[in-house]
Amino acid sequence: MKKESRFIIFLLILITLCIIVNLIETQTHTIRRIFDDFIYDNRNHYLPCKKLPTKEEVEKIISEHQEVIRDIEAVNPGLVGVEIDTATCQGKADIIFWYASHENRLEIEKIIGNETFFGIPYRLQNR
């Protein structure tokens, strides 16, 4: 087999692998999840705007669960907080829990104990 033929086959295999990885990543966000978790110590839900609840729905859940919010903020007072993010998706919202350390994140996850905060998607951000 000629050198040019082997190079073309190698390029075709490489392109095919790139396409497969891209298709898998757009569906599962595996690479982004690993990067967010291990590099940034964050957790995201990766939902598109159309799947997020309205700002009013998020505000209602936050107001109904103030005791849990206070428990989360007490993990590290002044260095742990809660925000409603309305800037990312017009007319939609989610919750951001921010914190100062990985230990704070683990405690927040333990308090929430679910993939959503009472049905509302949330993100964890190490600041």
Side-chain angles (χ1 to χ4, degrees), residues 6-53:
R6 281 187 274 166
F7 182 72
I8 291 172
I9 290 172
F10 173 76
L11 278 179
L12 289 173
I13 291 170
L14 185 62
I15 290 169
T16 303
L17 281 173
C18 287
I19 290 169
I20 290 169
V21 167
N22 189 38
L23 289 172
I24 292 170
E25 178 62 16
T26 57
Q27 296 298 312
T28 64
H29 305 287
T30 302
I31 295 169
R32 286 176 64 191
R33 287 178 198 277
I34 291 168
F35 193 77
D36 282 345
D37 190 24
F38 293 107
I39 303 298
Y40 292 124
D41 191 28
N42 292 343
R43 179 186 170 278
N44 290 299
H45 52 67
Y46 308 104
L47 293 173
C49 291
K50 65 183 178 184
K51 291 195 175 186
L52 293 178

Side-chain angles (χ1 to χ4, degrees), residues 11-124:
L11 278 179
L12 289 173
I13 291 170
L14 185 62
I15 290 169
T16 303
L17 281 173
C18 287
I19 290 169
I20 290 169
V21 167
N22 189 38
L23 289 172
I24 292 170
E25 178 62 16
T26 57
Q27 296 298 312
T28 64
H29 305 287
T30 302
I31 295 169
R32 286 176 64 191
R33 287 178 198 277
I34 291 168
F35 193 77
D36 282 345
D37 190 24
F38 293 107
I39 303 298
Y40 292 124
D41 191 28
N42 292 343
R43 179 186 170 278
N44 290 299
H45 52 67
Y46 308 104
L47 293 173
C49 291
K50 65 183 178 184
K51 291 195 175 186
L52 293 178
T54 64
K55 177 185 174 186
E56 293 75 26
E57 291 172 296
V58 176
E59 288 172 341
K60 180 178 184 274
I61 292 298
I62 292 286
S63 68
E64 289 174 354
H65 299 283
Q66 280 298 299
E67 185 175 314
V68 179
I69 297 293
R70 282 191 291 277
D71 290 345
I72 290 169
E73 291 173 334
V75 164
N76 194 348
L79 297 174
V80 169
V82 181
E83 297 175 13
I84 297 175
D85 178 16
T86 58
T88 304
C89 298
Q90 186 176 18
K92 302 289 189 156
D94 66 354
I95 302 170
I96 298 174
F97 295 100
W98 48 270
Y99 48 91
S101 72
H102 183 68
E103 291 75 23
N104 294 161
R105 175 185 168 179
L106 295 176
E107 290 183 55
I108 293 166
E109 289 176 325
K110 186 177 177 181
I111 292 168
I112 296 171
N114 204 334
E115 292 296 310
T116 64
F117 184 79
F118 299 95
I120 303 297
Y122 68 88
R123 292 178 280 152
L124 297 168

